[in-house]
Amino acid sequence: SMPSEMLLKIFSYLDAVSLLSLGCVNKRFYELANDNGIWLQLYSCSLHPKWKMKSKQTETVSLGCAALHDKKPGYWKKEYIFKQTCAFKTRVMRLVKFLDPYTGLPCKNKEAMKVSGLSWIIVLKDKNGKEHVVEKPKLSFKDTSVTVLWYGPGWPCLDFLSTLKLFGVTPLLPDQSRPPSKNGPRRFSLIAEYHLANLTESSVAVGADELVQLFGLSPGLLVGIWK
């Protein structure tokens, strides 16, 4: 196998998102991708992004050997993520700070969602415990609401489903220069969980026609079933 020193050299040319992804490959890659020297350089570069490379290296060295050897592996990775997360939250909070006095929604709601990389996914679990993940919803922005819509013919049969979980998803390290990748590191936040067993027997349809039945689940979920 390739020597660790050579792998570290290769890893040193990668960005933070790539390093986090590599850390999921195996135990050896996880340990190497936690290297304090690599993350300290990323951290120092993020403090002064306009510096030339020589200045960045000088900054890293000037922090001293103690910054590397007296810290546990992964320390500067955590510091880098914390710093980037704080800067990201500050950008988003500037956009959601001012509310529309008539609707209560942020005046720049759509822009804030775009900057944050916020998306939503549905995780359906069947009665055998198998999970089905549904991504790529359609968004509809109104003056008083935001509607998130999933639809398609490839959904599993309702009779075999037990629960539906709704998650809010944001990239761990948002990058404004490119759209978030679903293969990159992400944060998941559970918004709601719905029990679907006996849905049609225990719930009253809120709307129906010859082809579709519509059921309402609290909080805020409408389920349309095509016959």
Side-chain angles (χ1 to χ4, degrees):
S1 60
M2 189 176 293
S4 296
E5 293 77 10
M6 189 175 296
L7 285 173
L8 282 174
K9 183 64 175 178
I10 295 172
F11 286 8
S12 68
Y13 292 101
L14 301 177
D15 59 23
V17 171
S18 299
L19 282 171
L20 291 171
S21 299
L22 273 175
C24 299
V25 173
N26 54 42
K27 183 177 180 181
R28 185 188 182 206
F29 273 34
Y30 174 79
E31 293 174 350
L32 292 174
N34 267 1
D35 181 74
N36 274 330
I38 295 175
W39 284 100
L40 178 56
Q41 182 168 334
L42 285 171
Y43 182 89
S44 60
C45 290
S46 69
L47 292 175
H48 306 285
K50 295 182 180 179
W51 284 12
K52 294 180 180 179
M53 178 57 69
K54 186 176 180 180
S55 299
K56 293 176 184 176
Q57 293 171 344
T58 304
E59 171 72 8
T60 301
V61 173
S62 69
L63 291 172
C65 294
L68 293 176
H69 301 298
D70 291 352
K71 305 297 183 183
K72 293 181 179 179
Y75 173 85
W76 285 107
K77 178 178 79 172
K78 293 178 182 178
E79 289 295 307
Y80 177 86
I81 292 174
F82 178 75
K83 179 181 181 298
Q84 295 297 325
T85 301
C86 289
F88 156 70
K89 287 182 178 179
T90 300
R91 292 198 305 269
V92 175
M93 290 307 297
R94 287 194 188 121
L95 291 171
V96 301
K97 181 178 180 180
F98 300 103
L99 303 179
D100 187 312
Y102 301 103
T103 67
L105 288 175
C107 297
K108 296 184 177 181
N109 195 30
K110 189 173 183 178
E111 293 86 342
M113 288 187 181
K114 184 177 180 180
V115 167
S116 68
L118 174 63
S119 184
W120 296 266
I121 67 168
I122 282 177
V123 177
L124 299 162
K125 181 179 286 188
D126 63 28
K127 294 175 182 178
N128 295 322
K130 183 179 178 180
E131 291 187 342
H132 309 264
V133 180
V134 186
E135 302 203 40
K136 296 183 179 179
K138 303 293 183 182
L139 299 183
S140 175
F141 292 90
K142 306 295 183 183
D143 290 339
T144 58
S145 66
V146 178
T147 301
V148 189
L149 176 66
W150 292 265
Y151 60 88
W155 289 57
C157 181
L158 180 66
D159 292 340
F160 297 103
L161 297 178
S162 60
T163 59
L164 181 155
K165 292 182 180 180
L166 174 64
F167 290 89
V169 183
T170 55
L172 181 62
L173 294 172
D175 186 347
Q176 290 181 301
S177 64
R178 59 186 180 185
S181 169
K182 75 172 186 176
N183 295 322
R186 301 187 292 177
R187 285 192 177 92
F188 288 74
S189 177
L190 179 63
I191 298 174
E193 181 175 353
Y194 304 90
H195 297 281
L196 301 180
N198 304 319
L199 170 67
T200 55
E201 288 80 8
S202 60
S203 302
V204 178
V206 297
D209 59 20
E210 293 183 356
L211 295 178
V212 179
Q213 282 184 306
L214 193 64
F215 294 89
L217 300 177
S218 181
L221 178 71
L222 292 177
V223 178
I225 302 173
W226 271 254
K227 296 180 181 179

